[in-house]
PDB file of all heavy atoms in Angstrom:
ATOM      1  N   ALA X  11      -0.822 301.558 280.995  1.00 93.00           N
ATOM      2  CA  ALA X  11       0.381 300.830 281.405  1.00 93.00           C
ATOM      3  C   ALA X  11       1.464 300.920 280.333  1.00 93.00           C
ATOM      4  O   ALA X  11       2.642 301.110 280.647  1.00 93.00           O
ATOM      5  CB  ALA X  11       0.036 299.371 281.694  1.00 93.00           C
ATOM      6  N   ILE X  12       1.072 300.797 279.078  1.00 96.00           N
ATOM      7  CA  ILE X  12       2.029 300.905 277.974  1.00 96.00           C
ATOM      8  C   ILE X  12       2.605 302.313 277.934  1.00 96.00           C
ATOM      9  O   ILE X  12       3.817 302.494 277.778  1.00 96.00           O
ATOM     10  CB  ILE X  12       1.362 300.530 276.633  1.00 96.00           C
ATOM     11  CG1 ILE X  12       1.084 299.031 276.601  1.00 96.00           C
ATOM     12  CG2 ILE X  12       2.228 300.950 275.449  1.00 96.00           C
ATOM     13  CD1 ILE X  12       0.221 298.586 275.431  1.00 96.00           C
ATOM     14  N   HIS X  13       1.763 303.327 278.102  1.00 97.00           N
ATOM     15  CA  HIS X  13       2.221 304.718 278.097  1.00 97.00           C
ATOM     16  C   HIS X  13       3.216 304.964 279.232  1.00 97.00           C
ATOM     17  O   HIS X  13       4.257 305.592 279.036  1.00 97.00           O
ATOM     18  CB  HIS X  13       1.024 305.663 278.204  1.00 97.00           C
ATOM     19  CG  HIS X  13       1.388 307.108 278.216  1.00 97.00           C
ATOM     20  ND1 HIS X  13       1.865 307.763 277.109  1.00 97.00           N
ATOM     21  CD2 HIS X  13       1.363 308.024 279.211  1.00 97.00           C
ATOM     22  CE1 HIS X  13       2.121 309.019 277.423  1.00 97.00           C
ATOM     23  NE2 HIS X  13       1.823 309.209 278.695  1.00 97.00           N
ATOM     24  N   GLU X  14       2.902 304.457 280.422  1.00 96.00           N
ATOM     25  CA  GLU X  14       3.803 304.615 281.561  1.00 96.00           C
ATOM     26  C   GLU X  14       5.130 303.909 281.314  1.00 96.00           C
ATOM     27  O   GLU X  14       6.195 304.437 281.643  1.00 96.00           O
ATOM     28  CB  GLU X  14       3.149 304.089 282.838  1.00 96.00           C
ATOM     29  CG  GLU X  14       2.014 304.958 283.337  1.00 96.00           C
ATOM     30  CD  GLU X  14       1.267 304.335 284.502  1.00 96.00           C
ATOM     31  OE1 GLU X  14       1.692 303.269 285.010  1.00 96.00           O
ATOM     32  OE2 GLU X  14       0.244 304.914 284.903  1.00 96.00           O
ATOM     33  N   ASP X  15       5.087 302.728 280.721  1.00 97.00           N
ATOM     34  CA  ASP X  15       6.300 301.983 280.423  1.00 97.00           C
ATOM     35  C   ASP X  15       7.176 302.748 279.439  1.00 97.00           C
ATOM     36  O   ASP X  15       8.397 302.820 279.603  1.00 97.00           O
ATOM     37  CB  ASP X  15       5.946 300.601 279.861  1.00 97.00           C
ATOM     38  CG  ASP X  15       7.164 299.717 279.703  1.00 97.00           C
ATOM     39  OD1 ASP X  15       7.930 299.580 280.679  1.00 97.00           O
ATOM     40  OD2 ASP X  15       7.365 299.170 278.594  1.00 97.00           O
ATOM     41  N   ILE X  16       6.563 303.338 278.429  1.00 97.00           N
ATOM     42  CA  ILE X  16       7.307 304.138 277.455  1.00 97.00           C
ATOM     43  C   ILE X  16       7.952 305.338 278.138  1.00 97.00           C
ATOM     44  O   ILE X  16       9.118 305.664 277.890  1.00 97.00           O
ATOM     45  CB  ILE X  16       6.396 304.575 276.289  1.00 97.00           C
ATOM     46  CG1 ILE X  16       6.026 303.363 275.431  1.00 97.00           C
ATOM     47  CG2 ILE X  16       7.039 305.671 275.442  1.00 97.00           C
ATOM     48  CD1 ILE X  16       4.934 303.623 274.411  1.00 97.00           C
ATOM     49  N   GLN X  17       7.204 306.001 279.019  1.00 97.00           N
ATOM     50  CA  GLN X  17       7.754 307.155 279.743  1.00 97.00           C
ATOM     51  C   GLN X  17       8.948 306.751 280.606  1.00 97.00           C
ATOM     52  O   GLN X  17       9.964 307.442 280.635  1.00 97.00           O
ATOM     53  CB  GLN X  17       6.683 307.806 280.614  1.00 97.00           C
ATOM     54  CG  GLN X  17       5.676 308.618 279.836  1.00 97.00           C
ATOM     55  CD  GLN X  17       4.688 309.301 280.773  1.00 97.00           C
ATOM     56  OE1 GLN X  17       4.206 308.698 281.724  1.00 97.00           O
ATOM     57  NE2 GLN X  17       4.399 310.563 280.499  1.00 97.00           N
ATOM     58  N   ILE X  18       8.833 305.641 281.304  1.00 97.00           N
ATOM     59  CA  ILE X  18       9.924 305.170 282.162  1.00 97.00           C
ATOM     60  C   ILE X  18      11.163 304.860 281.323  1.00 97.00           C
ATOM     61  O   ILE X  18      12.282 305.238 281.680  1.00 97.00           O
ATOM     62  CB  ILE X  18       9.484 303.940 282.984  1.00 97.00           C
ATOM     63  CG1 ILE X  18       8.486 304.366 284.065  1.00 97.00           C
ATOM     64  CG2 ILE X  18      10.690 303.237 283.610  1.00 97.00           C
ATOM     65  CD1 ILE X  18       7.790 303.227 284.764  1.00 97.00           C
ATOM     66  N   LYS X  19      10.973 304.193 280.191  1.00 97.00           N
ATOM     67  CA  LYS X  19      12.109 303.868 279.321  1.00 97.00           C
ATOM     68  C   LYS X  19      12.763 305.131 278.777  1.00 97.00           C
ATOM     69  O   LYS X  19      13.995 305.194 278.681  1.00 97.00           O
ATOM     70  CB  LYS X  19      11.667 302.943 278.195  1.00 97.00           C
ATOM     71  CG  LYS X  19      11.417 301.531 278.691  1.00 97.00           C
ATOM     72  CD  LYS X  19      10.989 300.603 277.589  1.00 97.00           C
ATOM     73  CE  LYS X  19      10.732 299.219 278.194  1.00 97.00           C
ATOM     74  NZ  LYS X  19      10.194 298.287 277.238  1.00 97.00           N
ATOM     75  N   ASN X  20      11.968 306.143 278.437  1.00 97.00           N
ATOM     76  CA  ASN X  20      12.527 307.411 277.956  1.00 97.00           C
ATOM     77  C   ASN X  20      13.336 308.106 279.044  1.00 97.00           C
ATOM     78  O   ASN X  20      14.415 308.645 278.782  1.00 97.00           O
ATOM     79  CB  ASN X  20      11.429 308.339 277.438  1.00 97.00           C
ATOM     80  CG  ASN X  20      10.902 307.921 276.089  1.00 97.00           C
ATOM     81  OD1 ASN X  20      11.592 307.262 275.314  1.00 97.00           O
ATOM     82  ND2 ASN X  20       9.675 308.301 275.787  1.00 97.00           N
ATOM     83  N   ILE X  21      12.827 308.085 280.265  1.00 96.00           N
ATOM     84  CA  ILE X  21      13.550 308.694 281.382  1.00 96.00           C
ATOM     85  C   ILE X  21      14.859 307.947 281.623  1.00 96.00           C
ATOM     86  O   ILE X  21      15.909 308.561 281.837  1.00 96.00           O
ATOM     87  CB  ILE X  21      12.679 308.717 282.655  1.00 96.00           C
ATOM     88  CG1 ILE X  21      11.525 309.704 282.475  1.00 96.00           C
ATOM     89  CG2 ILE X  21      13.502 309.053 283.896  1.00 96.00           C
ATOM     90  CD1 ILE X  21      10.451 309.606 283.531  1.00 96.00           C
ATOM     91  N   GLN X  22      14.814 306.628 281.569  1.00 97.00           N
ATOM     92  CA  GLN X  22      16.029 305.835 281.766  1.00 97.00           C
ATOM     93  C   GLN X  22      17.061 306.130 280.685  1.00 97.00           C
ATOM     94  O   GLN X  22      18.255 306.269 280.980  1.00 97.00           O
ATOM     95  CB  GLN X  22      15.700 304.340 281.786  1.00 97.00           C
ATOM     96  CG  GLN X  22      14.956 303.911 283.031  1.00 97.00           C
ATOM     97  CD  GLN X  22      14.455 302.490 282.958  1.00 97.00           C
ATOM     98  OE1 GLN X  22      14.230 301.937 281.883  1.00 97.00           O
ATOM     99  NE2 GLN X  22      14.262 301.872 284.112  1.00 97.00           N
ATOM    100  N   LYS X  23      16.626 306.255 279.445  1.00 97.00           N
ATOM    101  CA  LYS X  23      17.545 306.572 278.346  1.00 97.00           C
ATOM    102  C   LYS X  23      18.205 307.922 278.583  1.00 97.00           C
ATOM    103  O   LYS X  23      19.415 308.068 278.405  1.00 97.00           O
ATOM    104  CB  LYS X  23      16.807 306.588 277.004  1.00 97.00           C
ATOM    105  CG  LYS X  23      16.474 305.232 276.460  1.00 97.00           C
ATOM    106  CD  LYS X  23      15.729 305.376 275.129  1.00 97.00           C
ATOM    107  CE  LYS X  23      15.184 304.048 274.657  1.00 97.00           C
ATOM    108  NZ  LYS X  23      14.392 304.190 273.424  1.00 97.00           N
ATOM    109  N   ARG X  24      17.393 308.920 278.973  1.00 97.00           N
ATOM    110  CA  ARG X  24      17.947 310.252 279.219  1.00 97.00           C
ATOM    111  C   ARG X  24      18.899 310.244 280.410  1.00 97.00           C
ATOM    112  O   ARG X  24      19.931 310.907 280.398  1.00 97.00           O
ATOM    113  CB  ARG X  24      16.828 311.264 279.409  1.00 97.00           C
ATOM    114  CG  ARG X  24      16.056 311.532 278.120  1.00 97.00           C
ATOM    115  CD  ARG X  24      15.176 312.756 278.211  1.00 97.00           C
ATOM    116  NE  ARG X  24      14.306 312.780 279.364  1.00 97.00           N
ATOM    117  CZ  ARG X  24      12.991 312.660 279.332  1.00 97.00           C
ATOM    118  NH1 ARG X  24      12.366 312.520 278.186  1.00 97.00           N
ATOM    119  NH2 ARG X  24      12.280 312.709 280.442  1.00 97.00           N
ATOM    120  N   TYR X  25      18.573 309.474 281.444  1.00 96.00           N
ATOM    121  CA  TYR X  25      19.441 309.390 282.616  1.00 96.00           C
ATOM    122  C   TYR X  25      20.804 308.825 282.222  1.00 96.00           C
ATOM    123  O   TYR X  25      21.839 309.318 282.667  1.00 96.00           O
ATOM    124  CB  TYR X  25      18.800 308.522 283.705  1.00 96.00           C
ATOM    125  CG  TYR X  25      19.689 308.350 284.917  1.00 96.00           C
ATOM    126  CD1 TYR X  25      19.781 309.351 285.874  1.00 96.00           C
ATOM    127  CD2 TYR X  25      20.448 307.195 285.090  1.00 96.00           C
ATOM    128  CE1 TYR X  25      20.602 309.210 286.981  1.00 96.00           C
ATOM    129  CE2 TYR X  25      21.276 307.044 286.187  1.00 96.00           C
ATOM    130  CZ  TYR X  25      21.352 308.053 287.125  1.00 96.00           C
ATOM    131  OH  TYR X  25      22.174 307.915 288.216  1.00 96.00           O
ATOM    132  N   HIS X  26      20.816 307.804 281.392  1.00 96.00           N
ATOM    133  CA  HIS X  26      22.074 307.177 280.987  1.00 96.00           C
ATOM    134  C   HIS X  26      22.922 308.099 280.106  1.00 96.00           C
ATOM    135  O   HIS X  26      24.127 307.865 279.962  1.00 96.00           O
ATOM    136  CB  HIS X  26      21.812 305.845 280.288  1.00 96.00           C
ATOM    137  CG  HIS X  26      21.294 304.791 281.226  1.00 96.00           C
ATOM    138  ND1 HIS X  26      22.018 304.318 282.304  1.00 96.00           N
ATOM    139  CD2 HIS X  26      20.112 304.134 281.273  1.00 96.00           C
ATOM    140  CE1 HIS X  26      21.315 303.421 282.954  1.00 96.00           C
ATOM    141  NE2 HIS X  26      20.153 303.291 282.348  1.00 96.00           N
ATOM    142  N   LEU X  27      22.322 309.132 279.546  1.00 97.00           N
ATOM    143  CA  LEU X  27      23.076 310.099 278.757  1.00 97.00           C
ATOM    144  C   LEU X  27      23.776 311.144 279.625  1.00 97.00           C
ATOM    145  O   LEU X  27      24.652 311.863 279.146  1.00 97.00           O
ATOM    146  CB  LEU X  27      22.161 310.805 277.745  1.00 97.00           C
ATOM    147  CG  LEU X  27      21.582 309.920 276.630  1.00 97.00           C
ATOM    148  CD1 LEU X  27      20.577 310.722 275.806  1.00 97.00           C
ATOM    149  CD2 LEU X  27      22.689 309.373 275.747  1.00 97.00           C
ATOM    150  N   LEU X  28      23.395 311.225 280.894  1.00 97.00           N
ATOM    151  CA  LEU X  28      24.004 312.205 281.791  1.00 97.00           C
ATOM    152  C   LEU X  28      25.444 311.822 282.109  1.00 97.00           C
ATOM    153  O   LEU X  28      25.789 310.646 282.182  1.00 97.00           O
ATOM    154  CB  LEU X  28      23.221 312.290 283.105  1.00 97.00           C
ATOM    155  CG  LEU X  28      21.782 312.793 283.040  1.00 97.00           C
ATOM    156  CD1 LEU X  28      21.142 312.700 284.424  1.00 97.00           C
ATOM    157  CD2 LEU X  28      21.717 314.204 282.503  1.00 97.00           C
ATOM    158  N   THR X  29      26.258 312.840 282.321  1.00 96.00           N
ATOM    159  CA  THR X  29      27.624 312.603 282.773  1.00 96.00           C
ATOM    160  C   THR X  29      27.588 312.199 284.245  1.00 96.00           C
ATOM    161  O   THR X  29      26.567 312.359 284.933  1.00 96.00           O
ATOM    162  CB  THR X  29      28.487 313.868 282.619  1.00 96.00           C
ATOM    163  OG1 THR X  29      27.963 314.879 283.509  1.00 96.00           O
ATOM    164  CG2 THR X  29      28.497 314.384 281.189  1.00 96.00           C
ATOM    165  N   THR X  30      28.713 311.708 284.732  1.00 93.00           N
ATOM    166  CA  THR X  30      28.798 311.334 286.149  1.00 93.00           C
ATOM    167  C   THR X  30      28.502 312.537 287.042  1.00 93.00           C
ATOM    168  O   THR X  30      27.766 312.416 288.030  1.00 93.00           O
ATOM    169  CB  THR X  30      30.204 310.776 286.459  1.00 93.00           C
ATOM    170  OG1 THR X  30      30.446 309.657 285.601  1.00 93.00           O
ATOM    171  CG2 THR X  30      30.320 310.339 287.901  1.00 93.00           C
ATOM    172  N   LYS X  31      29.026 313.674 286.689  1.00 91.00           N
ATOM    173  CA  LYS X  31      28.799 314.893 287.472  1.00 91.00           C
ATOM    174  C   LYS X  31      27.313 315.281 287.461  1.00 91.00           C
ATOM    175  O   LYS X  31      26.757 315.664 288.500  1.00 91.00           O
ATOM    176  CB  LYS X  31      29.651 316.037 286.909  1.00 91.00           C
ATOM    177  CG  LYS X  31      29.707 317.238 287.789  1.00 91.00           C
ATOM    178  CD  LYS X  31      30.427 316.895 289.075  1.00 91.00           C
ATOM    179  CE  LYS X  31      30.733 318.147 289.863  1.00 91.00           C
ATOM    180  NZ  LYS X  31      31.328 317.842 291.148  1.00 91.00           N
ATOM    181  N   GLU X  32      26.689 315.190 286.295  1.00 92.00           N
ATOM    182  CA  GLU X  32      25.262 315.519 286.195  1.00 92.00           C
ATOM    183  C   GLU X  32      24.425 314.564 287.042  1.00 92.00           C
ATOM    184  O   GLU X  32      23.437 314.976 287.669  1.00 92.00           O
ATOM    185  CB  GLU X  32      24.813 315.479 284.735  1.00 92.00           C
ATOM    186  CG  GLU X  32      25.359 316.624 283.901  1.00 92.00           C
ATOM    187  CD  GLU X  32      25.142 316.451 282.416  1.00 92.00           C
ATOM    188  OE1 GLU X  32      25.060 315.303 281.927  1.00 92.00           O
ATOM    189  OE2 GLU X  32      25.053 317.486 281.718  1.00 92.00           O
ATOM    190  N   LYS X  33      24.817 313.311 287.097  1.00 94.00           N
ATOM    191  CA  LYS X  33      24.098 312.339 287.935  1.00 94.00           C
ATOM    192  C   LYS X  33      24.253 312.686 289.412  1.00 94.00           C
ATOM    193  O   LYS X  33      23.299 312.555 290.194  1.00 94.00           O
ATOM    194  CB  LYS X  33      24.591 310.922 287.655  1.00 94.00           C
ATOM    195  CG  LYS X  33      24.154 310.391 286.305  1.00 94.00           C
ATOM    196  CD  LYS X  33      24.733 309.016 286.032  1.00 94.00           C
ATOM    197  CE  LYS X  33      24.337 308.544 284.643  1.00 94.00           C
ATOM    198  NZ  LYS X  33      24.935 307.250 284.295  1.00 94.00           N
ATOM    199  N   GLU X  34      25.458 313.145 289.796  1.00 90.00           N
ATOM    200  CA  GLU X  34      25.683 313.557 291.178  1.00 90.00           C
ATOM    201  C   GLU X  34      24.785 314.743 291.534  1.00 90.00           C
ATOM    202  O   GLU X  34      24.160 314.768 292.599  1.00 90.00           O
ATOM    203  CB  GLU X  34      27.141 313.941 291.392  1.00 90.00           C
ATOM    204  CG  GLU X  34      28.098 312.771 291.359  1.00 90.00           C
ATOM    205  CD  GLU X  34      29.548 313.216 291.447  1.00 90.00           C
ATOM    206  OE1 GLU X  34      29.818 314.388 291.807  1.00 90.00           O
ATOM    207  OE2 GLU X  34      30.427 312.386 291.144  1.00 90.00           O
ATOM    208  N   VAL X  35      24.723 315.723 290.655  1.00 90.00           N
ATOM    209  CA  VAL X  35      23.887 316.902 290.889  1.00 90.00           C
ATOM    210  C   VAL X  35      22.414 316.499 290.949  1.00 90.00           C
ATOM    211  O   VAL X  35      21.663 316.969 291.811  1.00 90.00           O
ATOM    212  CB  VAL X  35      24.128 317.975 289.806  1.00 90.00           C
ATOM    213  CG1 VAL X  35      23.122 319.108 289.920  1.00 90.00           C
ATOM    214  CG2 VAL X  35      25.554 318.507 289.898  1.00 90.00           C
ATOM    215  N   LEU X  36      22.003 315.612 290.057  1.00 91.00           N
ATOM    216  CA  LEU X  36      20.617 315.137 290.051  1.00 91.00           C
ATOM    217  C   LEU X  36      20.261 314.509 291.386  1.00 91.00           C
ATOM    218  O   LEU X  36      19.151 314.700 291.896  1.00 91.00           O
ATOM    219  CB  LEU X  36      20.404 314.147 288.903  1.00 91.00           C
ATOM    220  CG  LEU X  36      19.008 313.527 288.809  1.00 91.00           C
ATOM    221  CD1 LEU X  36      17.947 314.607 288.590  1.00 91.00           C
ATOM    222  CD2 LEU X  36      18.960 312.497 287.706  1.00 91.00           C
ATOM    223  N   HIS X  37      21.195 313.775 291.954  1.00 91.00           N
ATOM    224  CA  HIS X  37      20.958 313.153 293.261  1.00 91.00           C
ATOM    225  C   HIS X  37      20.604 314.218 294.306  1.00 91.00           C
ATOM    226  O   HIS X  37      19.644 314.065 295.058  1.00 91.00           O
ATOM    227  CB  HIS X  37      22.199 312.367 293.696  1.00 91.00           C
ATOM    228  CG  HIS X  37      22.133 311.862 295.095  1.00 91.00           C
ATOM    229  ND1 HIS X  37      21.370 310.778 295.459  1.00 91.00           N
ATOM    230  CD2 HIS X  37      22.718 312.311 296.236  1.00 91.00           C
ATOM    231  CE1 HIS X  37      21.485 310.578 296.758  1.00 91.00           C
ATOM    232  NE2 HIS X  37      22.306 311.495 297.255  1.00 91.00           N
ATOM    233  N   PHE X  38      21.379 315.317 294.324  1.00 90.00           N
ATOM    234  CA  PHE X  38      21.117 316.385 295.284  1.00 90.00           C
ATOM    235  C   PHE X  38      19.791 317.084 294.989  1.00 90.00           C
ATOM    236  O   PHE X  38      19.066 317.469 295.909  1.00 90.00           O
ATOM    237  CB  PHE X  38      22.265 317.393 295.300  1.00 90.00           C
ATOM    238  CG  PHE X  38      23.552 316.810 295.822  1.00 90.00           C
ATOM    239  CD1 PHE X  38      24.719 316.868 295.066  1.00 90.00           C
ATOM    240  CD2 PHE X  38      23.609 316.206 297.071  1.00 90.00           C
ATOM    241  CE1 PHE X  38      25.908 316.334 295.548  1.00 90.00           C
ATOM    242  CE2 PHE X  38      24.789 315.664 297.565  1.00 90.00           C
ATOM    243  CZ  PHE X  38      25.938 315.731 296.805  1.00 90.00           C
TER     244      PHE X  38
END
């Protein structure tokens, strides 16, 4: 559970570093 939580937080951090355009592309 701790490992999964760390992974989720890392993914969230990386997502927030994306530009608006990159987030749009990620959606597609």
